[in-house]
């Protein structure tokens, strides 16, 4: 982990009043309750014998298995063993490509980045697919032999490979649609997946007949993903809704706003891009904004966090360049000269003009032929500050918005818990 990231984390904990002693106590408690002490072992039965009872209970609770206080340790270990192996066998086809890569790295003892270690801890330890060992104050991740064998066997099996590819393609399309549209019909996701993700529309009529099963299987995959509601969305009838909409009324009002508009249809490459990000990270205006904010804030981590917030606000809330400039003033971010301010604002206007927005059903203002809204400079910063500091209505922070504390996490996973 970079020094700047460590400093950022320390600042965050300090803002919450958590000192080093408290952090040490928290770490000690976690180690005692959810990690296994001593030498590593890859045999699942031995792992469960050495595991703290609180870890066994945690795994059972995750899979919604009842924890009987009267059951013997031996019987509990056997139950956990069965739950772990059965769950992995069922869930293997739903693993992301990133999931598979991180699991394989852990299985083969390859070095893991801080992000990959966090992913293992957050996504797999509570499922019992990966365990954390601690020896001499050093932490390591272990994938049990049984999980390793099922993964290797599954990845070699043609049927499993096909299912993994199908579900992955539909999942990527679904994520891209969520980032592009906010609310989307299931049939639209299916159409984009079949025609663009799997390039069905590029085939000849004869080839399409041979692959008539693809549409049906893709629809089954989409229904499975909707039932699981994983990845920041919820469903109602024929609609898939981003969890940025917290109620039925919110998304219904939004549908009225976009009624009659056509959907933007992403191509194969864009599906991959928008499945991971809300905006085009390769946009030169975007890159320049990140560079300028880093220079203004003298801290890349904070600049990245602010840029993430601006992405959400521009895509979801239809922020304009003037709104972004006002936000910078309220955060105390100032420019060294009038010229640098004007250059930033001009680039900001161009970026906003080329961002794909929910209110446009994924189109940019530029593609719709709308007039670009430039920032007026005759308004003094002091007046802008005054206007912003006395708003008529304060917008509620959405669960999916960046947390205002500056941690970089979503509000629902930080102060909004």
């Amino acid at each position: 982990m970079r020094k700047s990231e460590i400093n950022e984390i320390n600042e965050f904990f300090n803002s919450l009043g958590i000192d080093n002693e408290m952090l040490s106590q928290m770490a000690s408690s976690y180690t005692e309750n959810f990690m296994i002490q001593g030498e590593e072992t890859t045999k699942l039965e031995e792992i469960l014998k050495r595991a703290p009872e609180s870890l066994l209970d945690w795994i059972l609770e995750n899979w919604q298995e009842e924890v009987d206080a009267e059951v013997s340790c031996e019987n509990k270990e056997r139950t956990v063993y069965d739950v772990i192996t059965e769950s992995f066998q069922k869930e293997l086809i739903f693993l992301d490509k990133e999931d598979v890569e991180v699991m394989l790295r852990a299985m083969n003892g390859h070095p893991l980045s801080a992000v990959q270690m966090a992913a293992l801890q957050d996504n797999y330890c509570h499922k019992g697919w990966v365990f954390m060992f601690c020896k001499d104050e050093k932490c390591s991740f272990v994938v049990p032999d049984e999980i390793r064998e099922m993964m290797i066997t599954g990845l070699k099996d043609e049927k499993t490979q096909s299912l993994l590819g199908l579900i992955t393609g539909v999942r990527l399309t679904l994520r891209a649609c969520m980032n592009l549209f906010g609310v989307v019909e299931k049939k639209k996701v299916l159409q984009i997946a079949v025609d663009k993700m799997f390039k069905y529309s590029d085939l000849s009529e004869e080839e399409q007949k041979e692959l008539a099963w693809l549409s049906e299987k893709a629809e089954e995959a989409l229904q499975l993903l909707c039932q699981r509601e994983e990845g920041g969305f919820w469903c109602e009838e024929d609609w898939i809704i981003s969890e940025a909409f917290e109620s039925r009324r919110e998304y219904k009002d939004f549908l009225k706003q976009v009624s009659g508009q056509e959907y933007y249809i992403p191509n194969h490459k864009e599906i991959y891009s928008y499945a991971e990000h809300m905006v085009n990270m390769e946009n030169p205006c975007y890159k320049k904004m990140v560079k300028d904010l880093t220079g203004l804030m003298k801290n890349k981590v904070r600049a990245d966090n602010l840029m993430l917030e601006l992405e959400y606000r521009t895509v979801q809330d239809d922020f304009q360049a003037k709104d972004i400039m006002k936000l910078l003033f309220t955060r105390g971010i100032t420019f060294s000269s009038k010229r640098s301010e004007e250059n930033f604002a001009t680039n900001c206007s161009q970026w906003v003009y080329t961002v794909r927005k929910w209110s446009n059903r994924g189109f940019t203002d530029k593609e719709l032929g709308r007039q670009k809204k430039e920032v007026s400079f005759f308004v003094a910063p002091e007046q802008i500050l005054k206007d912003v500091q006395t708003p008529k209505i304060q917008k509620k922070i959405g669960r999916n918005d960046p947390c205002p504390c500056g941690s970089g996490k979503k509000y629902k996973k930080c102060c909004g818990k």
Side-chain angles (χ1 to χ4, degrees):
M1 187 177 291
R2 295 190 299 269
K3 185 177 180 181
S4 60
E5 292 176 321
I6 295 173
N7 291 337
E8 187 72 15
I9 291 171
N10 288 335
E11 287 181 18
F12 172 65
F13 282 123
N14 289 335
S15 69
L16 297 177
I18 300 176
D19 56 23
N20 290 336
E21 184 178 349
M22 293 175 66
L23 279 175
S24 178
Q25 291 174 354
M26 291 163 62
S28 177
S29 175
Y30 186 89
T31 301
E32 182 180 340
N33 288 288
F34 302 109
M35 297 175 70
I36 300 168
Q37 304 296 318
E39 296 288 343
E40 295 179 10
T41 179
T42 58
K43 299 183 183 301
L44 184 54
E45 287 186 351
E46 186 177 339
I47 289 173
L48 298 178
K49 277 188 172 66
R50 291 171 53 190
E53 190 170 3
S54 52
L55 176 55
L56 302 182
D57 291 342
W58 188 34
I59 295 170
L60 290 174
E61 288 169 4
N62 172 72
W63 294 112
Q64 297 182 342
E65 296 284 339
E66 292 186 6
V67 181
D68 187 350
E70 303 299 324
V71 72
S72 68
C73 286
E74 185 177 347
N75 287 337
K76 183 179 287 189
E77 290 164 14
R78 173 51 55 186
T79 300
V80 174
Y81 182 96
D82 292 340
V83 165
I84 290 172
T85 52
E86 289 171 10
S87 66
F88 188 80
Q89 197 163 25
K90 291 177 182 177
E91 295 288 313
L92 176 58
I93 60 172
F94 293 103
L95 291 180
D96 267 342
K97 177 186 175 184
E98 291 77 12
D99 293 332
V100 174
E101 289 176 352
V102 174
M103 292 278 282
L104 289 174
R105 290 189 70 84
M107 284 165 49
N108 295 314
H110 292 162
L112 298 167
S113 69
V115 173
Q116 290 170 332
M117 288 190 285
L120 287 174
Q121 183 178 355
D122 292 342
N123 300 334
Y124 311 120
C125 288
H126 64 291
K127 295 179 178 179
W129 301 349
V130 176
F131 290 86
M132 296 176 68
F133 281 75
C134 183
K135 182 183 178 183
D136 299 329
E137 297 184 353
K138 292 183 178 180
C139 169
S140 59
F141 292 90
V142 169
V143 179
D145 290 338
E146 288 81 349
I147 301 297
R148 176 195 296 264
E149 183 61 31
M150 282 189 284
M151 175 170 277
I152 293 174
T153 302
L155 293 178
K156 288 180 179 178
D157 180 69
E158 288 188 9
K159 183 179 179 181
T160 303
Q161 288 177 4
S162 297
L163 286 171
L164 264 170
L166 181 66
I167 292 174
T168 297
V170 175
R171 180 192 282 118
L172 287 170
T173 307
L174 175 55
R175 288 178 178 171
C177 288
M178 285 291 92
N179 283 337
L180 285 168
F181 313 132
V183 181
V184 63
E185 294 159 290
K186 293 177 182 177
K187 64 181 181 181
K188 180 57 67 175
V189 176
L190 184 62
Q191 176 197 336
I192 295 173
V194 173
D195 289 349
K196 300 300 179 180
M197 190 63 200
F198 301 118
K199 297 187 176 180
Y200 186 79
S201 59
D202 295 342
L203 303 177
S204 68
E205 187 175 342
E206 186 176 338
E207 289 172 324
Q208 288 185 23
K209 286 180 180 179
E210 292 178 1
L211 289 176
W213 56 269
L214 178 61
S215 180
E216 182 181 344
K217 292 299 181 184
E219 184 175 6
E220 291 177 8
L222 179 61
Q223 291 298 338
L224 284 172
L225 292 172
C226 288
Q227 289 170 12
R228 295 163 68 88
E229 291 193 353
E230 59 176 28
F233 67 88
W234 52 286
C235 300
E236 184 176 78
E237 298 174 347
D238 296 329
W239 295 95
I240 306 174
I241 305 113
S242 167
E243 64 181 6
F245 297 93
E246 297 183 342
S247 68
R248 189 173 186 270
R249 180 176 179 178
E250 281 187 18
Y251 96 83
K252 287 289 186 181
D253 287 344
F254 173 77
L255 286 179
K256 290 178 183 178
Q257 177 188 342
V258 298
S259 176
Q261 295 186 43
E262 294 292 328
Y263 287 99
Y264 174 78
I265 305 299
N267 59 36
H268 187 268
K269 183 179 179 180
E270 287 176 320
I271 290 173
Y272 275 96
S273 175
Y274 284 99
E276 295 297 323
H277 308 286
M278 295 200 77
V279 298
N280 178 9
M281 310 290 279
E282 298 304 313
N283 185 327
C285 296
Y286 175 89
K287 291 183 175 181
K288 190 172 188 314
M289 279 191 66
V290 173
K291 181 180 178 181
D292 289 346
L293 284 176
T294 302
L296 289 168
M297 301 179 75
K298 310 293 190 228
N299 185 309
K300 189 170 190 314
V301 175
R302 290 194 175 188
D304 288 343
N305 290 341
L306 177 56
M307 195 64 210
L308 179 63
E309 180 181 352
L310 297 181
E311 291 172 28
Y312 276 92
R313 288 178 176 259
T314 304
V315 173
Q316 296 182 6
D317 303 330
D318 203 13
F319 247 42
Q320 298 299 321
K322 65 177 182 179
D323 302 310
I324 292 175
M325 297 302 290
K326 288 179 182 180
L327 181 64
L328 297 186
F329 284 126
T330 62
R331 301 287 173 85
I333 300 171
T334 57
F335 296 85
S336 58
S337 66
K338 191 68 176 177
R339 182 176 180 180
S340 64
E341 177 187 338
E342 291 177 356
N343 288 340
F344 181 90
T346 300
N347 181 68
C348 182
S349 295
Q350 183 61 31
W351 176 66
V352 171
Y353 195 51
T354 55
V355 168
R356 302 197 176 280
K357 300 178 181 180
W358 288 3
S359 60
N360 294 341
R361 280 278 170 91
F363 284 96
T364 68
D365 289 340
K366 182 178 181 180
E367 289 169 337
L368 294 177
R370 292 177 179 166
Q371 185 176 0
K372 183 165 61 173
K373 297 180 180 180
E374 303 288 355
V375 179
S376 299
F377 294 98
F378 64 91
V379 181
E382 294 80 7
Q383 183 60 41
I384 293 177
L385 275 171
K386 181 180 178 182
D387 293 342
V388 175
Q389 289 170 348
T390 56
K392 294 180 180 179
I393 299 176
Q394 181 153 359
K395 187 180 183 296
K396 182 179 68 174
I397 300 171
R399 294 177 67 248
N400 210 35
D401 287 346
C403 190
C405 74
S407 66
K409 297 181 179 180
K410 292 182 180 180
Y411 180 66
K412 66 180 182 181
K413 293 185 177 180
C414 192
C415 299
K417 283 187 177 180

